[in-house]
Amino acid sequence: MAAVANFDNIFVRYDLVGEVEAKGARVASKNPALQRVMQCVVEGDTDNIVDAVNEALKVADPLEVINEALVKGMNEVSRLWDEGEYYLPQAIIASDAMLMGLEICEKKMGQSLEKKGVVITHTAEGDIHDLGQKIVNALLRANGYEVIDLGKDVPVDEVVAAVKKYKPVMLTGTALMTTTMTAFERISNRLRKEGIELPFVCGGGAVSLEYVSGFDLGIWGKDASQAPGMAQDAVNGLSWQQMREKWNA
């Protein structure tokens, strides 16, 4: 019986891929304390982010630490993700580090940072592949949005009820399979029947521009990195038609 001599092409440690590149990330600050915070976020260094942020708060106010270090670090993570240098594990732990730092800054300010708006995210009914949704969650939170994460395999009724309850500026849905993405059109129809209009961004491996353009409210999300920009458009008052024209033309 033949034996496999090399497992490199079978098993890939995606948590290690990109580790070296992260050290060369394009983040820089003239302030060494802010630079250290950025580096902790980019490298997902949850062991040292607390110490780094506390040191930075000795020389900078909380908002400066947030905007000039935490957010910039997460923006760099987004770039590395876009360019295929980072995979899901790096993005998740970077988000964890960023959120840990954000919590410290908010305590220092004595109040939570005002959120730009509420976004509901979910993975389609019958679909348990929620990796893309996790990335969307991380990027939206990093950019100052409150995310209502409904999780995976979410029934249509539950999505509609959440929209009615939380009144988000935008709804997102992720699906990996063609058999599950049909839930998006059912959600759109239910929302329209309830008289609700909002941008409904749909993406994932099986989801195509042609499919999403076939029902009201739908806007095709090519990849997770578009989510913050789309949410900003929703906050600015663009309708789902205007957003479809902008992002899917």
Side-chain angles (χ1 to χ4, degrees):
M1 183 175 66
V4 177
N6 187 344
F7 289 86
D8 289 348
N9 294 326
I10 301 175
F11 301 111
V12 178
R13 284 286 304 276
Y14 286 105
D15 58 322
L16 299 181
V17 175
E19 189 174 74
V20 175
E21 289 84 347
K23 295 176 182 175
R26 302 174 196 167
V27 287
S29 172
K30 294 179 180 178
N31 185 322
L34 296 181
Q35 176 67 30
R36 186 183 173 209
V37 173
M38 280 194 287
Q39 207 68 23
C40 284
V41 173
V42 173
E43 296 180 359
D45 187 353
T46 54
D47 291 333
N48 292 302
I49 186 69
V50 173
D51 179 59
V53 170
N54 283 328
E55 286 299 313
L57 287 172
K58 293 178 181 177
V59 296
D61 63 62
L63 279 177
E64 186 177 5
V65 175
I66 291 171
N67 294 323
E68 298 301 320
L70 294 171
V71 172
K72 284 189 175 180
M74 201 62 203
N75 286 342
E76 180 64 6
V77 172
S78 296
R79 183 188 68 78
L80 291 167
W81 168 267
D82 289 343
E83 295 181 1
E85 300 291 340
Y86 267 19
Y87 295 85
L88 181 65
Q90 288 97 347
I92 294 297
I93 59 174
S95 174
D96 289 345
M98 189 277 299
L99 292 174
M100 289 170 67
L102 183 62
E103 184 177 356
I104 296 169
C105 291
E106 288 179 339
K107 284 183 179 177
K108 183 75 173 180
M109 290 189 296
Q111 60 184 10
S112 296
L113 194 65
E114 185 176 356
K115 302 300 182 186
K116 295 179 180 176
V118 175
V119 178
I120 292 179
T121 70
H122 83 288
T123 297
E125 184 171 11
D127 205 321
I128 60 172
H129 305 89
D130 62 348
L131 299 185
Q133 185 198 353
K134 289 183 182 298
I135 292 293
V136 169
N137 290 345
L139 294 179
L140 287 171
R141 285 171 175 146
N143 282 274
Y145 295 93
E146 180 179 354
V147 175
I148 306 297
D149 177 4
L150 300 182
K152 55 191 175 185
D153 187 15
V154 186
V156 170
D157 288 347
E158 190 173 323
V159 176
V160 174
V163 170
K164 295 168 69 175
K165 177 179 180 181
Y166 294 104
K167 298 178 172 53
V169 295
M170 187 173 85
L171 169 67
T172 80
T174 304
L176 186 67
M177 301 180 291
T178 54
T179 53
T180 57
M181 70 179 185
T182 56
F184 296 152
E185 186 170 2
R186 298 202 301 275
I187 290 171
S188 169
N189 291 338
R190 286 284 306 281
L191 290 173
R192 295 284 282 175
K193 191 175 180 179
E194 298 277 354
I196 298 173
E197 285 203 11
L198 82 169
F200 181 18
V201 180
C202 306
V207 182
S208 66
L209 170 62
E210 291 72 21
Y211 173 70
V212 178
S213 300
F215 55 85
D216 289 345
L217 310 183
I219 301 156
W220 180 54
K222 182 179 179 181
D223 58 57
S225 67
Q226 294 180 325
M230 290 179 166
Q232 186 62 58
D233 282 346
V235 168
N236 290 341
L238 267 66
S239 66
W240 64 268
Q241 295 96 333
Q242 291 171 316
M243 287 180 59
R244 179 185 283 181
E245 177 66 25
K246 175 180 177 179
W247 293 91
N248 293 166

